[in-house]
Amino acid sequence: QVQLVESGGGLVQAGDSLRLSCAVSGGTSSTSTMAWFRQAPGKEREFVAAIFRGSRSYYGDSVKGRFTISRDNAKKTVFLQMNSLKPEDTALYYCALDNRLILSSIRGPIHYDYWGQGTQVTVSS
């Protein structure tokens, strides 16, 4: 059984940086697709970033150039480095994983089988 546990969220000021971590346990491999999504109150869950089958990275338009996704296969951990944070980045951030995803589906939360509980990021102006 796959379990994902996020950490690293917090309250920061605009312009600050944060690094989120997602520890993975269970049935995964280096070719699993790992992703970060976020959801603000009253809004739909939004794609942030993904590493597709352990190789290429993809980003949502609103975070491109500011956020970086990476993974440490040995530690089975995925990271999201967030720089130049803005108040509109405030949301609950979720880690997600799927072992059979195709590239055209990476931005759709419905396609991911496994989710963490989320970690809150709040950016004050």
Side-chain angles (χ1 to χ4, degrees), residues 1-3 25-28 114:
Q1 183 174 349
V2 177
Q3 290 187 321
S25 61
T28 68
Y114 303 103

Side-chain angles (χ1 to χ4, degrees), residues 38-107:
R38 67 187 182 186
Q39 190 165 19
K43 295 189 176 181
E44 293 185 351
R45 194 162 294 191
E46 177 189 13
F47 172 76
V48 175
I51 297 181
F52 177 65
R53 294 187 181 177
S55 58
R56 191 169 177 177
S57 300
Y58 296 84
Y59 296 92
D61 290 341
S62 61
V63 306
K64 207 171 291 184
R66 299 188 297 123
F67 291 11
T68 303
I69 188 171
S70 61
R71 62 189 289 173
D72 183 329
N73 289 329
K75 296 182 179 179
K76 300 186 78 173
T77 303
V78 177
F79 304 99
L80 184 68
Q81 178 66 42
M82 306 186 294
N83 298 329
S84 303
L85 282 162
K86 304 175 182 180
E88 51 264 43
D89 294 318
T90 295
L92 190 59
Y93 283 70
Y94 295 93
C95 179
L97 179 151
D98 197 273
N99 291 315
R100 300 170 297 174
L101 213 60
I102 60 175
L103 182 57
S104 60
S105 298
I106 63 169
R107 298 172 186 269

